[in-house]
Amino acid sequence: ESPRYGNTGYSNGMTGNGKLMDLLDEPVPGVGTYEDFNTIDWVREKSKDRDRHREITSKSEQSTWALLHSISDAFSGWLLMLLIGLMSGALAGCIDISAHWLTDLKEGVCLSGFWFNHEHCCWGSNQTTFQERDKCPQWQSWAELLGGSSEGAAAYIVNYLMFMLCALLFSFLAVILVRAFAPYACGSGIPEIKTILSGFIIRGYLGKWTLIIKTITLVLAVSSGLSLGKEGPLVHVACCCANILCHLFTKYRQNEAKRREVLSAAAAVGVSVAFGAPIGGVLFSLEEVSYYFPLKTLWRSFFAALVAAFTLRSINPFGNSRLVLFYVEFHTPWHMVELVPFILLGIFGGLWGALFIRANIAWCRRRKTTRLGHYPVLEVLVVTGITALLSFPNSYTRMSGSELISELFNDCSLLDSSQLCDYNSSENRPAGPGVYTALWQLALALFFKMLVTVVTFGMKVPSGLFIPSMAVGAIAGRLLGVAMEQMALNHHDWLIVKGWCSSGADCITPGLYAMVGAAACLGGVTRMTISLVVIMFELTGGLEYIVPLMAAIMTSKWVADALGREGIYEAHIRLNGYPFLETKEEYEHKTLAQDVMRPRPSDPLLVVLTQEGMSVGEIEGVMADTDYSGFPVVVSQESQRLVGFVLRRDLVISLDNARKRQEGVVSASLVFFLEHVPPQPFSGPPVVKLRGILDLSPFTVTDHTPMAIALDIFRKLGLRQCLVTHNG
Amino acid sequence: ESPRYGNTGYSNGMTGNGKLMDLLDEPVPGVGTYEDFNTIDWVREKSKDRDRHREITSKSEQSTWALLHSISDAFSGWLLMLLIGLMSGALAGCIDISAHWLTDLKEGVCLSGFWFNHEHCCWGSNQTTFQERDKCPQWQSWAELLGGSSEGAAAYIVNYLMFMLCALLFSFLAVILVRAFAPYACGSGIPEIKTILSGFIIRGYLGKWTLIIKTITLVLAVSSGLSLGKEGPLVHVACCCANILCHLFTKYRQNEAKRREVLSAAAAVGVSVAFGAPIGGVLFSLEEVSYYFPLKTLWRSFFAALVAAFTLRSINPFGNSRLVLFYVEFHTPWHMVELVPFILLGIFGGLWGALFIRANIAWCRRRKTTRLGHYPVLEVLVVTGITALLSFPNSYTRMSGSELISELFNDCSLLDSSQLCDYNSSENRPAGPGVYTALWQLALALFFKMLVTVVTFGMKVPSGLFIPSMAVGAIAGRLLGVAMEQMALNHHDWLIVKGWCSSGADCITPGLYAMVGAAACLGGVTRMTISLVVIMFELTGGLEYIVPLMAAIMTSKWVADALGREGIYEAHIRLNGYPFLETKEEYEHKTLAQDVMRPRPSDPLLVVLTQEGMSVGEIEGVMADTDYSGFPVVVSQESQRLVGFVLRRDLVISLDNARKRQEGVVSASLVFFLEHVPPQPFSGPPVVKLRGILDLSPFTVTDHTPMAIALDIFRKLGLRQCLVTHNG
């Protein structure tokens, strides 16, 4: 259960054959570690690390080897970051490539090698024109392969069935693997990572099994065509890599606070590879995920995020030397008047975000409380079946989420052959029939995506929320963009249009609307602000479009906040009942520490230990009667002035240890927390000295401290407990 | 002296004609404010703001007007940011344009209007080719205007003399204006702003006079040709704007902590307009300047930085729709082997940074301690004279710093006519004679800049360090870049070159080397890391070049840190003796609070007040005998258990107030810090109740708290004092 509470230190102590006093002064193994589902004490962890660092520094002056050790210790952080970047980048590349291949496998097979995806398969083909590139002889759809024909109703039905069959197979495999090997691998993982970073311990959540299973099932889940994305889970994958790599370095293995610094950096790495946005990733970690983020971590996360981005780029999973499928470059500027539709998109995004969170949380609560929760495999299969059934006929839902976004972001050039770019080539470029068909299909896709995402997020498969949210926003944005464009083209004598839209010029970019819409919806769901702007900025690579993005994202956040304070991750944290102290919210009430503290005035008095005069038996009795995790130590029962604080876990371990190893310790042995034990009569049993486990600097506030200040202390210093004193 | 210690509240109280008790319960004016050159108490300021906010929220449910007030209060932060962005952007635009004009005025005058600079003057001219554009008939050099000829030795001497004369005139005006009106306007201002943001109060440092004089003298100083830049002072200018605009909003006028949040955002705005890098500016503020930077401020700073960047862009001071003169776009990729010269540039940057800091600090200390400091005007004139004398003959020193950097960053295209791009047009493009001349001139310019910057920074004119540091690095980088390029061209059969440098292709970009060198030198001087990378990223607009930049900047920081821990701003803070608690450094020693606290064991006992039983006279006596800024209040002299803490300033004001306004208060009146005053005999003088000014929640640590933790508490909570207790 707790691998670090081992016996190694203990047996070393016994073989050391030293004097009794030496044995007692040695640190008892297990003291200073934590149990599962507990919160760490940041202050204690940090001072542990400082002590370790001081020791290494002082030793380094003594010998060359120690100096080398000290240097390697200083650089181990950078090395660790390098490794995390390389590993996460490589994993993200593998995930991208395999998901691409599996997604294409739903539609057909490459004859020159089944491991090629559609695009790779047709690279060698002679059909070099844009339209025909997709139809090379090596690539055969399932109908061609099984029935020999690629036309007609029968072929369509064969393809349809194979599509559904593959989707069901993939999602079945995903959910079975998750259930069998790593139950923690489901979901996006971001709520749990937020909780872990705030100091909570969930053993195994970032372990190697979770990593392996999450990577495999993520590919399967994405390929099955469910309305989910790989971006959120990539953060979890990067954090798993970081946690596993931490075990290589003593410095990080043994210190929970240091490890959390590394995990913060890993969250940045995850976003960096997910969106190809290293700066955005660092800001995401800073704004959204992290709890304690010193400057040193900022710089290291940036380094790791860059390494990961470059690793991914050298793998080049999309063959376009970009890190994401939906990288865009726009060229036409936008006009002030367009801020109105952008803000409308922001309102849409905010409304959708707030409603999505409510609906999703209600659905997840239903899953937890009703019988629905007992059949996770069936649930996944049913949702996959319905998704596949409904999505095949519509080409915009059949393609994967990131392909859809890429198509919607696309700025129609004259050569573009896609349906959305089917403009008549007359002077004003009015929309052709293809565009109108596409609009209908997109409208249907919008409703479909909105509904199916609500039931998908939270199922027992790895599922990210970024891509589905962005897809919803991108569809809405593109629809609005095309509408605006046609309005401007048909009515370019209108006053507002006249000023900037000269006849025949492309004055409105529907792709930009899609991007603004995507950002607004994502902002509404996650309540990210600055990091989202920067991610989008890195996707487009120009300062030019920051103002539309900011206007939409800010509107979206305000609208969503007005309908419900929490983002999706906070809502899921609360739903799962994790302990999490929100850092962003202001404490509004005017209570004082004395109104909040336990025990309340009506409760029995506070249980305290005295610094001298209590026996082992009495202390064990106190511990048996209560279930507090720690006890204040006071001068005496009469003069309850505070001396220190002792943790239950440390006390249990130390008393057990004393009983086992120290001869003659019985229940009547006196326990001393004093530094100098007064001389004892020879006849009595030996005393137990526990000064070592006593925290001599517990944090205290007076009973008149406003709760807002107390909360601030908890947040900023990462306390586990705080004692309330009155006149000392 | 202290404008907020006014009498308004006082006279209101008197005219209110209430009962005596009401008068006493009213807040005494002046309580809770600070004196000049004092440190603020962040915790107290924040709880003041929370109280204010709570009051507005609770009132907002009562009436529509109060609701409107509450909404306007919530949005006032955003409005303030908008105003700061607009004002700073506009000011930066004016500074750019006027500096450009004045710099050109040193060389000649435009006949079509003296207010045109060289470039504007020649826009209308017919010579449209690149080479001749600079020689339009409307623009006349001083020699043409005064002597009628533009050729020959006489004309050269006339130009030389006019150049020096103008330079001396501008710098004389600058130093006289600074001395006469705003002594705080000199220097870059960043060290002082760091100190102010950490909670120190320097009245007038961010006032309107400082703003006006700094703006004017900055233009003059930059135009005089001294080796200084406008980037650092722009941060000061933006902070002045912010401070002045804060006075429009009660929320920010009355709260020192809230005002510092705004100032942090303003620092971001300053860098945003200086480099056209909004994201880099925000990170600069976060990494380098700010002390307390909550997420809300992050988002607001970003907004303000963007507004400022767009304001500046719409002014378009350089006519290239870019925000800086030295915006570049490179197109050729770099090769792994090139990391070696990049790291060499990093070492150079680190060495130069460390040496510059030492030399500059030594020179500034000399100025402070010797007679040199008594003649600031003369010093400025002498330095300007020498600078102008030596810089005129060399065209690379004659041009302004940002023009030089822009020239060095420039990627030579085939059409480029500058001397540095004088390559032979044969297959391998070996360097022509122009390049070799340029290299000699650049080498001379490098030594000149290195020496003259040391004596320039710290003079009594506004002077930024960014541009001179970048210029030094850019020259070194360009020299190395050209050397590498020629080596690769002449020896492209060498093994390391062979792999990536095919014959005839441009495989090395000397401009990139210049940029990397500039970043390395700036990093060495300021020890900025991530913000510098992001600023450079925004200047080039491509992720491609982040790795070279990071390698150089990291090397530079490590080398510089090995030679001296402090950056130039920290060194100047220490030189000037400002109180500043460095947030980045780790505390290494193993002392406990009891070893550091005052009074020391050998000193006389701690001076305390008791919660009851002391008279006004006794307290005044205690205050007269000591000069502590505050006193702990204990239960009684015998049982010194802590009740609270009272500040000297509050005590003085309250006692004065009581003597003036409360009848019959004499020295023998008893002072009570208790909530309920025990009944007094009728015969005695009235009692003074001071419960109101008593801080009931002073921060305490136990005597066994390690200093590292105590320091952490001070840093994170922004404390002004902390009491050390032993067993309560």
Side-chain angles (χ1 to χ4, degrees), chain B residues 11-80:
Chain B
S11 44
N12 282 346
M14 290 307 276
T15 53
N17 209 3
K19 281 183 296 175
L20 192 65
M21 287 312 289
D22 284 347
L23 268 176
L24 287 181
D25 285 349
E26 250 175 40
V28 179
V31 167
T33 61
Y34 301 93
E35 280 176 55
D36 201 1
F37 290 102
N38 252 301
T39 312
I40 68 163
D41 186 337
W42 287 87
V43 179
R44 189 166 73 163
E45 292 297 304
K46 273 187 274 178
S47 47
K48 249 170 68 185
D49 183 62
R50 259 189 299 256
D51 291 344
R52 203 194 54 82
H53 186 240
R54 198 179 298 126
E55 197 182 315
I56 290 179
T57 319
S58 65
K59 264 189 195 163
S60 74
E61 286 151 18
Q62 293 163 7
S63 72
T64 323
W65 193 87
L67 183 69
L68 280 177
H69 180 64
S70 142
I71 292 173
S72 80
D73 181 75
F75 277 86
S76 64
W78 290 100
L79 182 60
L80 180 58

Side-chain angles (χ1 to χ4, degrees), chain A residues 116-171:
Chain A
F116 285 130
N117 67 29
H118 194 162
E119 205 178 329
H120 279 140
C121 188
C122 295
W123 263 355
S125 142
N126 290 327
Q127 282 87 347
T128 46
T129 59
F130 235 64
Q131 288 87 340
E132 305 221 318
R133 210 190 54 184
D134 279 358
K135 294 197 181 106
C136 64
Q138 289 90 334
W139 180 260
Q140 297 232 309
S141 71
W142 287 110
E144 288 172 305
L145 204 70
L146 302 177
S149 134
S150 68
E151 304 287 324
Y156 188 79
I157 288 168
V158 169
N159 280 335
Y160 205 152
L161 283 176
M162 281 307 292
F163 184 84
M164 283 191 64
L165 212 66
C166 288
L168 286 171
L169 179 70
F170 295 160
S171 65

